[in-house]
């Protein structure tokens, strides 16, 4: 009897130790996950702050450009008055130098927007004239039918003749990377 009590106590002690070990392990994993999440959140906040700062800079540049354009328009009106011509000349020189500085600052942003096809790894022609999806093809081109409505109608009319022969069909609008409508693709089933 005494031996059974000792074995029971030892087993109970081992079970308690095992449960304590699991509990400590889970708490450690939870702290690591929270730490990792906090680091991610801090990094995301830093990224968001950088994006907001860039956005603010772009807005300031745009406002500066708008102010410059307004000043240029004001200068054109003032040039009619002969007594203020010297002041206008000075203002336009200041405006021109500010415009040049602003253009130098914004040109990298414009290049990124102009060269989106480079980022996609395609040519400018493909960006505007090829289907956006590699599996797509243009069976009924807008170049041939001139309007989107006529192109869709041509696809559906041809599909209808196939349907009368017992072949199912669908017409899918195909766009280029730029979003331009290229035509219709006829799919049979």
């Amino acid at each position: 009897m005494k031996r059974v009590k000792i074995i029971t106590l030892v087993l109970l002690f081992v079970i308690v130790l095992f449960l304590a070990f699991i509990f400590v392990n889970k708490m450690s994993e939870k702290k690591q996950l929270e730490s990792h999440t906090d680091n991610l959140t801090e990094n995301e906040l830093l990224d968001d702050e950088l994006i907001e700062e860039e956005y603010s800079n772009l807005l300031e540049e745009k406002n500066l450009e708008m102010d410059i354009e307004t000043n240029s328009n004001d200068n054109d009106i003032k040039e009619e008055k002969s007594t203020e011509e010297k002041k206008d000349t000075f203002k336009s020189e200041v405006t021109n130098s500010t415009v040049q500085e602003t253009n130098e600052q914004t040109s990298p942003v414009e290049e990124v927007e102009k060269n989106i096809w480079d980022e996609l790894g395609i040519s400018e022609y493909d960006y505007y004239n090829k289907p956006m999806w590699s599996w797509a093809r243009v069976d009924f081109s807008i170049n041939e039918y001139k309007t989107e409505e006529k192109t869709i109608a041509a696809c559906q009319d041809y599909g209808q003749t196939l349907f009368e022969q017992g072949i199912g069909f669908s017409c899918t609008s195909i766009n280029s990377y730029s979003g331009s409508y290229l035509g219709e693709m006829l799919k049979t089933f």
Side-chain angles (χ1 to χ4, degrees), residues 14-156:
V14 169
I15 291 172
V16 168
L17 280 176
F18 181 71
L19 291 174
F21 174 76
I22 290 175
F23 178 76
V24 169
N25 197 16
K26 290 288 183 186
M27 293 302 287
S28 173
E29 287 176 5
K30 185 177 178 181
K31 285 181 182 178
Q32 287 177 350
L33 182 61
E34 287 174 356
S35 172
H36 182 67
T37 304
D38 289 344
N39 287 342
L40 283 177
T41 304
E42 288 175 14
N43 289 339
E44 289 172 354
L45 287 174
L46 289 175
D47 288 345
D48 287 346
E49 289 172 3
L50 288 173
I51 290 170
E52 282 183 30
E53 185 176 321
E54 286 293 319
Y55 183 70
S56 296
N57 288 342
L58 286 173
L59 282 178
E60 287 175 13
E61 290 173 8
K62 269 296 195 204
N63 288 337
L64 180 60
E65 288 176 12
M66 291 174 69
D67 289 344
I68 290 168
E69 288 176 11
T70 303
N71 286 340
S72 294
N73 290 339
D74 290 345
N75 287 344
D76 292 342
I77 293 170
K78 290 178 183 178
E79 286 179 358
E80 294 175 3
K81 299 179 182 178
S82 61
T83 58
E84 295 183 12
E85 283 183 9
K86 292 180 183 178
K87 291 180 185 177
D88 290 340
T89 303
F90 177 73
K91 284 182 181 179
S92 66
E93 288 174 4
V94 170
T95 301
N96 288 338
S97 68
T98 307
V99 167
Q100 288 173 347
E101 291 172 9
T102 303
N103 287 340
E104 289 172 3
Q105 292 171 354
T106 60
S107 61
V109 173
E110 292 173 2
E111 288 178 19
V112 170
E113 290 176 11
K114 289 180 184 175
N115 295 323
I116 192 165
W117 47 85
D118 290 333
E119 291 178 17
L120 294 170
I122 60 174
S123 69
E124 181 179 4
Y125 177 83
D126 288 351
Y127 180 76
Y128 290 106
N129 300 299
K130 296 287 180 159
M132 184 168 68
W133 305 291
S134 61
W135 53 265
R137 67 182 185 279
V138 178
D139 296 320
F140 297 87
S141 174
I142 191 163
N143 295 333
E144 183 178 342
Y145 296 98
K146 304 301 179 206
T147 67
E148 187 173 346
E149 292 80 20
K150 288 180 181 178
T151 307
I152 292 170
C155 182
Q156 290 176 346

Side-chain angles (χ1 to χ4, degrees), residues 178-189:
S178 68
S180 299
Y181 176 73
L182 300 175
E184 294 292 311
M185 180 178 81
L186 179 72
K187 181 179 177 186
T188 58
F189 45 91

